[in-house]
Amino acid sequence: MSIRYDGKVAIVTGSGGGLGRCHAIELARRGARVVVNDLGGSVDGTGAGSEAAQAVVAEIEAVGGEALANGANVAKYDEVEAMVKQAMETWGRVDILVNNAGILRDKSFAKGSLDDFKLVLGVHLMGTVNCTKACWEIMREQAYGRVVVTTSSSGLFGNFGQSNYGAAKMGVIGLMNTLAQEGTKYNIKINALAPVAATRMTEGLMPEEVFNLLTPELVTPAVLFLVSEDAPTRTILGAGAGGFTVTRLVESAGMWLPPDEQTPEGIAANWDAIAATEGETHPQSGAEQTMKVVGLAMEGLGLAPE
Ligand code: NAI
């Protein structure tokens, strides 16, 4: 059965080029009406222009799809609100939001400036917050919404020189974890994409034969799955070169320390057991972690029910 988006309206931010362009074209090819948002500008976020978004709209129209160009800066809430209004006035709904827009200001933490840090957080994290916030009430009222946040291995696992970007990219995971809970009742599903792709953002970072394998077209199926009717929620899906992975946050089984060992020295003495990988779990909510530590204490204190 083919997955389609007939009757659905999608907003794809930063879709004037790279991965976003690919997501937007494929969504439109499969029936969605698409807002092609892009501020234009360069990888470091300087400059602006509407040509890129308009060119993608023309590509979509050339294959019989419906799209409109929008030049909002996702970091500015008033511009984002106007974008969502444009979608609502044109098509009357917003079903799918793909938060994809992004920039880089790579520098080691020692050399980087706070201004660059704030700028990168502003585009990736607040940009995602702004767009999701502007669509949230609409999706709640429709009792339908599919949202994707774009994370990165740099946030999930770290990458030298990308502390600002990594912090922002892990921030969107925190946003997702809570919105997945708040959206459940309204049939809003929210997931994260961790892409690996050859774009202007990754140009020069890898050997040519690896770069050539990593086409954006091989990432887009992951996004399309995550915004489909039967999408999961709160999933981090990795995609690149035809490989697909799921990343999860794990917590060790841990242990309860008796009162005389509830000290830094006690933790040091029991470190191997506290950090052991055997019996790890994947908590689905903050409350699960609370229950676990309280459960360990109850058991240790002999207060657990038989
Ligand atoms: P790209 O630079 O080709 O695309 C990003 C697009 O976002 C550009 O068209 C740019 O004009 C637009 N944009 C930037 N700031 C904006 C703003 N404030 N408002 C609206 N649009 C804005 O880069 P690429 O590789 O396609 O990246 C897409 C997303 O995937 C980004 O969030 C990036 O961080 C993420 N990503 C990419 C990876 C890769 O391997 N290419 C790896 C991990 C994450």
Side-chain angles (χ1 to χ4, degrees), residues 168-186:
K169 289 305 203 186
M170 203 54 184
V172 298
I173 297 298
L175 178 72
M176 173 190 82
N177 285 339
T178 287
L179 293 190
Q181 294 178 21
E182 295 184 9
T184 298
K185 200 172 138 192
Y186 304 96

Side-chain angles (χ1 to χ4, degrees), residues 13-20 37-43 45 72-75 99-104 123-124 150-153 165 169 194-202 206:
T13 69
S15 54
L19 286 165
N37 158 266
D38 208 293
L39 174 65
S42 57
V43 174
N73 177 348
V74 296
N99 290 291
N100 165 82
I103 59 166
L104 288 180
V123 173
H124 289 277
T150 304
T151 183
S152 164
S153 57
Y165 181 75
K169 289 305 203 186
V196 190
T199 65
R200 67 179 193 174
M201 205 177 254
T202 46
M206 50 188 100

